[in-house]
């Protein structure tokens, strides 16, 4: 495990404990997502935060001004602490670690469902429910349409990939035929 991911996990656990004590676990997750989206969407802000010749207090003032209406003091203080310690690049990693910590504690898991065609909400809920019962957690799913799959679905939950796609089945069939030919 890299040093950055260990640091991100440490911040995420601390923020989770604080959020849990304030009954705001889901809200904090949504707010962290807002922060990550804002930073990911604006290269100038990321560049500004990385400038060594700009005082940390000015960086914090800019971030507070941009985010104060969208996030709570809890999230704002965490972002501020990351900036003070020169770890503004770790904010996305903190969000990822937070979703994992919160999911484990609340019996939830985030899943990315890849399909060849867009699923209706009902179909997406059925797939989520099926995988949720399989792993014993409530699935929070997002869908990505990937036409190269040809058909079927691929579901990524954490580090696991469940491949029920037509392209995956064809690849496994091809591998089996090559193995038998030897």
């Amino acid at each position: 495990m890299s040093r950055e991911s260990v640091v991100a996990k440490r911040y995420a656990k601390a923020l989770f404990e604080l959020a849990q004590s304030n009954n705001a676990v889901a809200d904090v997750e949504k707010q962290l997502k807002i922060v990550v989206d804002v930073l990911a969407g604006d290269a100038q802000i990321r560049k500004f935060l990385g400038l060594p010749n700009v005082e940390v207090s000015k960086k914090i003032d800019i971030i507070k001004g941009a985010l104060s209406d969208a996030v709570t003091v809890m999230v704002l203080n965490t972002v501020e602490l990351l900036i003070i310690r020169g770890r503004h690049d770790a904010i996305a990693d903190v969000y990822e670690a937070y979703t994992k910590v919160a999911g484990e504690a609340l019996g939830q898991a985030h899943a990315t469902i890849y399909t060849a065609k867009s699923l209706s909400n009902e179909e997406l809920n059925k797939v989520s429910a099926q995988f949720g019962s399989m792993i014993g957690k409530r699935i929070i799913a997002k869908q990505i349409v990937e036409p190269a799959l040809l058909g079927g679905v691929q579901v990524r939950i954490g580090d696991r990939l469940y491949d029920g796609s037509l392209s995956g089945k064809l690849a496994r069939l091809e591998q089996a035929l090559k193995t038998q030919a030897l």
Side-chain angles (χ1 to χ4, degrees), residues 58-140:
K58 290 187 189 239
K59 293 176 184 180
I60 292 170
D61 288 343
I62 296 288
I63 293 297
K64 280 185 176 179
L67 298 173
S68 63
D69 293 338
V71 300
T72 60
V73 173
M74 216 180 329
V75 173
L76 207 52
N77 287 344
T78 302
V79 172
E80 181 179 336
L81 187 59
L82 287 165
I83 292 169
I84 289 169
R85 296 197 174 155
R87 298 190 183 277
H88 66 277
D89 287 339
I91 293 173
D93 295 334
V94 170
Y95 168 71
E96 291 297 321
Y98 183 90
T99 60
K100 288 179 183 173
V101 170
E104 286 295 319
L106 301 175
Q108 300 174 343
H110 288 264
T112 304
I113 299 174
Y114 301 91
T115 58
K117 294 181 181 176
S118 184
L119 298 177
S120 68
N121 285 338
E122 183 181 326
E123 293 169 325
L124 189 60
N125 289 338
K126 284 182 181 179
V127 172
S128 297
Q130 184 176 7
F131 279 91
S133 66
M134 194 169 83
I135 65 168
K137 294 183 179 184
R138 187 174 75 81
I139 299 292
I140 299 170

Side-chain angles (χ1 to χ4, degrees), residues 11 13-14 32 34 61 65 86 91 147 157 162 180:
Y11 280 95
K13 282 183 179 179
L32 274 176
I34 290 169
D61 288 343
I91 293 173
I157 302 172
Y162 300 92
Q180 288 180 350

Side-chain angles (χ1 to χ4, degrees), residues 18 47 56 69 81 104 138 159 177-178:
L18 187 60
K47 185 177 179 181
V56 173
D69 293 338
L81 187 59
E104 286 295 319
R138 187 174 75 81
D159 295 339
L177 291 172
K178 286 180 180 178

